[in-house]
Structure formats: structure tokens, C-alpha cells
């Protein structure tokens, strides 16, 4: 899988910086055109801005993966929101 963690899209032909919600829309158009059927966005449950981006882009909130990873900064296990979008949505 691919994880998008910046709003900068780079290709061999160009580099462009887009607002994050526009970058998500551009990336999902490319992924769906390439034949993918389901896209997933994961964000820390404490990161409300990332959750807003996923919701605003029309992603379905699938749930929370509780204590699924170690947060080095906070020195504790952290929860992750999971969002998904299907090609036909």
C-alpha cells in the first residue's frame, strides 16, 4: 500500500503543492484510474484536521484501531482512525 503524508505530489515531470484536500482528490483519481477499488486513509485519533480532510473528501469512517502503534513522541500506544472510499462512491 501507499501512504500519503504530505500535500506535495511529485512526478518525474513536475512538482506541485496543492491544498491537502485537492491533493487527496488528485491522488484518488489516479489510483481509481489505475484500477484500485478501495482507498484507505489512516490518521491519529488526536489529529482532528486529518480526520476532517478524510470526511470532507467523502471517505467512510470505518472505525478506530485501538493502541495499534507505538508513538515515539508520547511514549505510549496510540489509536488510529480508519477511513475508506470505494471506486463507485
Amino acid at each position: 500500500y501507499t501512504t500519503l503524508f504530505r500535500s506535495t505530489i511529485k512526478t518525474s515531470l513536475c512538482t506541485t503543492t496543492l491544498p491537502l484536500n485537492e491533493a487527496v482528490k488528485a491522488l484518488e483519481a489516479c489510483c481509481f484510474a489505475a484500477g484500485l477499488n478501495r482507498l484507505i486513509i489512516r490518521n491519529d485519533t488526536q489529529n482532528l484536521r486529518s480526520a476532517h480532510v478524510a470526511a470532507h473528501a467523502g471517505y467512510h469512517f470505518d472505525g478506530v484501531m485501538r493502541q495499534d502503534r507505538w508513538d515515539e513522541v508520547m511514549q505510549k500506544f496510540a489509536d488510529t482512525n480508519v477511513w475508506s472510499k470505494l471506486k463507485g462512491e
Side-chain angles (χ1 to χ4, degrees), residues 26-46:
L27 183 60
E28 72 183 35
C30 291
C31 291
F32 287 143
L36 295 177
N37 186 57
R38 182 173 187 252
L39 302 180
I40 299 170
I41 293 177
R42 294 180 179 151
N43 72 282
D44 187 294
T45 56
Q46 301 301 310

Side-chain angles (χ1 to χ4, degrees), residues 3-4 6-8 15-16 21 26-27 31-32 35-36 49 53-55 62-63 65 67 77 86 88:
T3 302
L4 175 67
R6 293 191 178 125
S7 62
T8 301
T15 300
T16 183
N21 52 350
L27 183 60
C31 291
F32 287 143
L36 295 177
R49 288 184 179 183
V53 168
D62 292 334
M65 295 192 312
Q67 296 187 3
F77 285 99
L86 302 177

Side-chain angles (χ1 to χ4, degrees), residues 25-88:
K25 294 282 187 188
L27 183 60
E28 72 183 35
C30 291
C31 291
F32 287 143
L36 295 177
N37 186 57
R38 182 173 187 252
L39 302 180
I40 299 170
I41 293 177
R42 294 180 179 151
N43 72 282
D44 187 294
T45 56
Q46 301 301 310
N47 189 335
L48 301 179
R49 288 184 179 183
S50 289
H52 178 75
V53 168
H56 183 72
Y59 282 70
H60 177 277
F61 180 68
D62 292 334
V64 176
M65 295 192 312
R66 300 181 321 148
Q67 296 187 3
D68 68 317
R69 60 193 167 73
W70 181 255
D71 187 320
E72 287 292 330
V73 174
M74 301 300 289
Q75 290 294 298
K76 66 177 187 174
F77 285 99
D79 299 341
T80 302
N81 288 332
V82 180
W83 305 79
S84 66
K85 186 180 239 186
L86 302 177
K87 188 174 186 175

